[in-house]
Amino acid sequence: MKKKNEKRALLVSIVIAVILGIPVLNVYGMHIMEGFLPPVWCISWGALCIPFLVKGYFSIKNKIHENSRMVLILAMCGAFAFVLSALKLPSMTGSCSHPTGVGLGTIIFGPSAMAIISSIVLIFQAVLLNHGGLTTLGANIFSMGVAGPLATFGIFILLKKFGVKRSISVFTAAFIGNILTYMVTSFQLSIAFPDIEGGVFVSLVKFLGIFAVTQIPLAISEGLLTVIVYDGIKKYSTNELAME
Amino acid sequence: MKLWKKNLMLLFFVVILVVSPLVILKNAEFSGADEQAEEVIKEINKDYEPWINPLFEPASGEIESLLFVLQAAIGAAILGFGFGRLSAKKNIGSENK
């Protein structure tokens, strides 16, 4: 019965995503600032996030049900994302940006759980910090809470399969997740603002130049910090993490 | 290698990564990447006006940094609490064995 509800909720959310997300699907886009993404895109990206949020809700519910200590570890993963996304760090490009901090939770809880955690961080920043925005929430959740974690998770599983050392897998996974988040942000902006002469591609290069390049040293920092905290959690809760 | 030694080394790398741009690029502005993106948007589409305004804007740069510090502090507090609890619970468990 429980499983049935879960499946039904997921199915409904996917249908909504497909219907509302059609503009994005048809085009074959630091957080995007309030008002800087036209409404069509806000709705489309938001809709695409819904299935992941629904999946994440059930994923978290099941994980917490398994073991009460997981609640604490989940809170710590959320807290890690809170700290890292508040740190605006200087980069070699002479500008500042901030890491995402979602790699840690992705590695421990899987990608869909981080859609929920990212939404909490992004809503907090949009409402209280005037960073990002409520209308651009969907696009930002998609880049930080869906695309980034999916990349992190994929890389982590792949490296684990090849028997790469744990620290190196964690570092690489967090690094790639961070870079990919900002590449998606650039992509989101470039399909909403294609260059008048050169089209989407020229815009993409421009936005990548701002976001992705700035992000490289920050992604390395995020990778290193993720390794530190992951090792710390692992040391005190080997049993819980073995269940992943 | 002991875990704390490894962590100290990794932290040292992070500090170098953060400090070196400040030392190497003495004349850079270090403005936010999101502001630069705004400029590119205006360059691509001169007529674009943000269609909605933020709910509120912090009164000044200081207030904004206060709010960011608050976010980091809340996160750090929970992380610290979590580590304390995890390590304490582990020790209690091993004593009972």
Side-chain angles (χ1 to χ4, degrees):
Chain A
M1 188 63 203
K2 213 178 101 200
K3 281 274 171 241
K4 212 175 161 189
N5 278 340
E6 191 176 325
K7 273 206 181 121
R8 192 178 301 153
L10 202 58
L11 194 72
V12 170
S13 67
I14 289 173
V15 171
I16 294 171
V18 170
I19 295 170
L20 294 177
I22 282 173
V24 172
L25 298 172
N26 260 348
V27 172
Y28 345 24
M30 199 95 154
H31 313 321
I32 300 171
M33 304 65 65
E34 187 83 280
F36 273 89
L37 201 61
V40 190
W41 298 109
C42 295
I43 295 168
S44 303
W45 290 113
L48 282 184
C49 294
I50 296 173
F52 293 94
L53 288 169
V54 172
K55 179 107 195 337
Y57 170 76
F58 287 112
S59 155
I60 287 177
K61 212 171 139 191
N62 293 338
K63 279 267 162 60
I64 288 173
H65 195 67
E66 280 169 21
N67 185 333
S68 65
R69 252 169 99 98
M70 288 311 254
V71 182
L72 183 62
I73 298 177
L74 181 69
M76 289 171 74
C77 291
F80 183 73
F82 241 65
V83 177
L84 259 67
S85 56
L87 298 177
K88 291 189 182 175
L89 303 171
S91 169
M92 282 304 177
T93 49
S95 55
C96 283
S97 187
H98 60 84
T100 63
V102 294
L104 178 73
T106 306
I107 290 166
I108 297 176
F109 287 95
S112 61
M114 292 324 278
I116 302 278
I117 301 279
S118 306
S119 318
I120 296 170
V121 175
L122 287 166
I123 290 172
F124 183 91
Q125 290 196 325
V127 174
L128 295 176
L129 274 57
N130 183 29
H131 185 63
L134 284 176
T135 55
T136 53
L137 201 58
N140 289 331
I141 292 175
F142 190 85
S143 63
M144 176 171 158
V146 175
L150 280 177
T152 299
F153 200 67
I155 297 283
F156 185 72
I157 297 287
L158 198 71
L159 293 178
K160 211 168 140 191
K161 230 175 208 164
F162 283 113
V164 177
K165 241 182 104 189
R166 201 186 61 223
S167 295
I168 295 174
S169 319
V170 171
F171 171 82
T172 316
F175 174 84
I176 304 259
N178 179 314
I179 295 283
L180 197 95
T181 296
Y182 284 89
M183 285 172 80
V184 170
T185 302
S186 307
F187 176 68
Q188 288 169 331
L189 282 173
S190 65
I191 52 173
F193 296 98
D195 194 83
I196 298 157
E197 286 153 23
V200 174
F201 186 73
V202 172
S203 293
L204 182 62
V205 172
K206 280 185 189 165
F207 287 115
L208 279 177
I210 294 173
F211 285 116
V213 179
T214 302
Q215 208 60 29
I216 291 171
L218 306 195
I220 298 174
S221 296
E222 167 159 3
L224 296 173
L225 291 171
T226 305
V227 171
I228 293 175
V229 177
Y230 182 81
D231 281 350
I233 293 178
K234 183 116 186 156
K235 187 179 172 192
Y236 296 117
S237 43
T238 324
N239 297 334
E240 283 77 13
L241 294 201
M243 300 190 318
E244 298 164 25
Chain B
M1 190 163 27
K2 279 253 167 66
L3 185 60
W4 70 268
K5 271 189 190 162
K6 181 181 156 196
N7 284 348
L8 213 59
M9 211 176 73
L10 294 179
L11 264 183
F12 184 65
F13 277 130
V14 174
V15 172
I16 290 181
L17 273 171
V18 173
V19 173
S20 54
L22 296 173
V23 178
I24 296 168
L25 305 167
K26 286 223 166 67
N27 298 320
E29 280 179 32
F30 290 109
S31 60
D34 46 356
E35 282 167 31
Q36 294 184 352
E38 279 185 38
E39 280 162 27
V40 172
I41 290 173
K42 283 181 179 145
E43 192 187 301
I44 291 172
N45 186 349
K46 283 192 192 73
D47 304 324
Y48 189 79
E49 284 291 326
W51 59 282
I52 190 163
N53 285 322
L55 281 181
F56 97 114
E57 291 198 30
S60 71
E62 278 70 24
I63 305 294
E64 195 186 326
S65 68
L66 166 73
L67 292 168
F68 271 92
V69 166
L70 201 64
Q71 184 189 337
I74 293 170
I78 297 174
L79 262 184
F81 174 80
F83 271 123
R85 218 170 146 79
L86 282 181
S87 62
K89 274 191 174 172
K90 190 184 183 181
N91 288 339
I92 291 165
S94 60
E95 275 165 22
N96 289 345
K97 277 174 198 163

